[in-house]
Amino acid sequence: MAKKNIIPNPKTKFLLIKCIKCGNERKVFSASTTEIKCDCGQILVYPSASKAFIEAKVVKVLN
Ligand SMILES: [Zn+2]
């Protein structure tokens, strides 16, 4: 009996990131197409063609 595990592999996920400047945590979309700024003015996520660049500490990956 074959057991088949189907593991969904979404291209995008939510990340909990922490601002390297002020330590404020927030949830962001890993494939954000818009620039995300922290309240302190630090840019946390830079959008690019296929994925976002995270300029902050990734605390954890949320499902
Ligand atoms: Zn900040």
Side-chain angles (χ1 to χ4, degrees), residues 43-56:
I43 298 170
L44 302 173
V45 177
Y46 294 90
S48 71
S50 58
K51 66 172 190 174
F53 290 101
I54 313 289
E55 281 288 317

Side-chain angles (χ1 to χ4, degrees), residues 12-32:
T12 57
K13 49 195 164 187
F14 282 98
L15 304 170
L16 182 65
I17 62 169
K18 192 172 192 175
C19 177
I20 51 175
K21 203 170 167 185
C22 71
N24 191 37
E25 291 181 357
R26 69 190 297 157
K27 279 184 228 173
V28 299
F29 203 39
S30 69
S32 176

